[in-house]
Amino acid sequence: ACVQCTAAKRKCGKEAPACVRCSEKGIACSYPQRPGVSSGTADRGAEQDEGAALALSSRSPRPHSSLSGATSGYPSSAATGSHCRWFLSAESWALHHGCSSMVADGSLLPVAEETLSHFINRIKAWAADWVRHGHSPLMHKHLYSGWLPDCLQDCLTSLTAYNTASSDSAKATALRIIDDRVNRLMQSQPQPNNNDDDDDDDDDYGLNPSVLLTTPTHLARTQALFVYQLIRLFDGDIRARAQAEQHMTTLRTWAKQMLESARLDCACADLPPLSPNPNPHQRLLEDMSMNMNGNPFALPRDPHLTPIPSLWRAWIHAESVRRVYTVAMYMQNVYDTLRLGHSVCPGTIAFTAQNGLWDAGSGYVWMERLQRGAAGGEKVAGRNAGGAGMMGAGSKDIDEFTVAVLELTFGVEIVEKWM
């Protein structure tokens, strides 16, 4: 799709040299550089090869190489170069399907029911940490600095009421509150437009209004519904479970829409401007304005102008999307497995596994740890095709979120033995 249709989140006919939509609107039409084709920057290839070093991908049967090209200057402006932007690349947003728990002959490696329950208890503990401490491995402490979306305010107060309920009647009241909050959340979201009588050229593709939501909005509503589903699916109350089952498809849909919105925002974040502004300070102001208008990944196109805190905040949003998608899908898969004995792979996405990055208190601490891990040759947790052990880093090099994913993949006992 062309740059203009991608930015407007509209269907592109992909005609050359200009698509029909741009021609009819009388605007310049340009297409982004294809992956793998030189873009004229010296380190574009390094971004693709080295960027994956800090990501855990379910398709990788061998350890990744370290970020040997990382700059050692701290906190120089060059430190925010393209090799530190791996999480914005198109490859990092690709979904991969396939079973990770296999032995050498291709048969499935069974995961005990205790492992599934252990995973649910882990994410319940993370939800409780959000109430007690304001952050957890799923909710970054700086994701909503200074504000909290309305849907998450409702979610946090409902979760607090549920966690502090000390009697059956109090818990029943909390579940009724949650039911009301879920209905309110559903009613507040844009509904598909089924009106076929509108001849406007922007509406003739049957687009779902959700494409008009910003990535932070997608993220907030998916986080809220995930918490509600976690409570109601695994509380044990029959009515709550039945109500939650009605929203399982909605959570999957929202998670996929969130992922696609982030992918599109990242595709637009590093595109060259249609009319480059020769003034670097003016370009920086334009980039900041773009970020404020809804794209959390919009950064100055010149790496030397990228403030480290801006790059850090973009990573926080990207990593939050990856973690919420992963856990939301895994949670519902665990429920399906406990209920039916099996589940369908929803697709896995790469996420940051290096220990210490999620808990960094500032962009400069984050960058220092990122560079220190690269300079020390740190690798992330991987897996081999036989599932007999872990390859890559030591157990102290990965964070709590990664441990939970590995436990669900291989089983708690195998991970404990490895650690």
Side-chain angles (χ1 to χ4, degrees):
C2 72
V3 174
Q4 291 69 27
C5 289
T6 300
K9 296 186 178 179
R10 294 292 185 266
K11 185 176 180 180
C12 180
K14 305 178 183 179
E15 296 84 3
C19 72
V20 173
R21 180 177 178 276
C22 288
S23 298
E24 291 178 349
K25 290 184 174 291
I27 59 178
C29 183
S30 59
Y31 289 87
Q33 191 76 32
R34 290 189 176 188
V37 179
S38 174
S39 62
T41 57
D43 50 7
R44 176 68 66 179
E47 175 184 1
Q48 297 175 354
D49 296 335
E50 298 171 351
L54 296 175
L56 172 67
S57 176
S58 65
R59 67 173 180 169
S60 302
R62 57 185 181 277
H64 296 292
S65 60
S66 63
L67 276 173
S68 57
T71 57
S72 57
Y74 169 73
S76 68
S77 59
T80 60
S82 61
H83 59 273
C84 293
R85 304 185 183 198
W86 66 269
F87 55 90
L88 300 177
S89 67
E91 293 83 359
S92 71
W93 293 104
L95 279 177
H96 306 290
H97 294 268
C99 183
S100 57
S101 300
M102 286 190 174
V103 293
D105 60 1
S107 60
L108 292 179
L109 181 68
V111 177
E113 182 176 335
E114 291 77 10
T115 293
L116 304 180
S117 301
H118 179 77
F119 178 76
I120 297 301
N121 290 335
R122 258 191 185 274
I123 57 179
K124 282 184 175 180
W126 293 345
D129 286 342
W130 180 36
V131 172
R132 287 195 299 266
H133 309 299
H135 62 88
S136 73
L138 290 179
M139 186 69 69
H140 198 281
K141 66 176 69 175
H142 296 286
L143 178 61
Y144 299 110
S145 297
W147 70 285
L148 192 65
D150 291 344
C151 63
L152 284 176
Q153 291 183 29
D154 287 344
C155 179
L156 182 60
T157 54
S158 301
L159 178 61
T160 302
Y162 177 82
N163 285 350
T164 57
S166 57
S167 65
D168 291 341
S169 60
K171 182 162 288 188
T173 301
L175 289 174
R176 286 196 294 270
I177 293 173
I178 290 172
D179 183 41
D180 179 72
R181 295 295 184 268
V182 172
N183 291 334
R184 182 184 302 181
L185 176 63
M186 295 299 152
Q187 293 169 5
S188 69
Q189 298 307 305
Q191 303 299 318
N193 182 11
N194 298 319
N195 183 10
D196 297 329
D197 298 329
D198 194 349
D199 294 328
D200 185 81
D201 62 347
D202 284 338
D203 295 329
D204 57 2
Y205 301 113
L207 293 175
N208 190 309
S210 63
V211 301
L212 303 178
L213 300 178
T214 63
T215 298
T217 303
H218 278 289
L219 175 59
R221 72 172 187 172
T222 306
Q223 286 173 320
L225 184 56
F226 158 73
V227 173
Y228 292 138
Q229 289 293 92
L230 174 65
I231 294 172
R232 299 193 298 173
L233 285 175
F234 299 97
D235 171 78
D237 183 88
I238 296 176
R239 184 172 182 272
R241 185 168 66 240
Q243 291 171 330
E245 288 178 346
Q246 298 176 14
H247 296 110
M248 291 180 70
T249 300
T250 302
L251 180 57
R252 290 191 180 99
T253 301
W254 285 8
K256 291 177 181 179
Q257 290 175 346
M258 171 187 66
L259 211 61
E260 180 64 12
S261 178
R263 186 188 68 81
L264 289 174
D265 277 351
C266 286
C268 298
D270 245 357
L271 295 176
L274 298 179
S275 54
N277 193 320
N279 186 337
H281 300 289
Q282 185 63 30
R283 289 207 311 272
L284 181 58
L285 291 175
E286 291 170 356
D287 286 320
M288 292 174 62
S289 175
M290 183 177 179
N291 185 288
M292 293 173 63
N293 288 334
N295 187 345
F297 311 113
L299 296 168
R301 298 168 184 90
D302 184 350
H304 294 275
L305 292 177
T306 304
I308 288 177
S310 297
L311 185 64
W312 176 54
R313 284 190 290 270
W315 174 83
I316 289 174
H317 277 88
E319 186 64 17
S320 296
V321 168
R322 298 171 191 276
R323 293 189 175 206
V324 169
Y325 175 86
T326 298
V327 177
M329 292 300 194
Y330 281 8
M331 176 195 69
Q332 298 202 145
N333 272 32
V334 167
Y335 179 78
D336 283 339
T337 303
L338 291 172
R339 186 171 65 96
L340 303 173
H342 62 85
S343 62
V344 178
C345 175
T348 56
I349 184 111
F351 59 85
T352 305
Q354 182 176 325
N355 194 22
L357 297 185
W358 182 262
D359 298 325
S362 71
Y364 298 99
V365 174
W366 174 79
M367 179 60 69
E368 189 272 337
R369 292 178 180 177
L370 185 67
Q371 293 178 332
R372 184 175 58 192
E378 262 188 25
K379 300 173 183 177
V380 301
R383 64 171 178 83
N384 59 15
M390 314 297 169
M391 299 176 64
S395 59
K396 295 182 180 180
D397 298 328
I398 62 174
D399 64 7
E400 181 181 356
F401 181 84
T402 308
V403 171
V405 172
L406 292 176
E407 287 176 341
L408 186 62
T409 303
F410 297 102
V412 176
E413 291 185 357
I414 292 178
V415 175
E416 285 181 348
K417 179 181 178 181
W418 171 67
M419 294 186 69

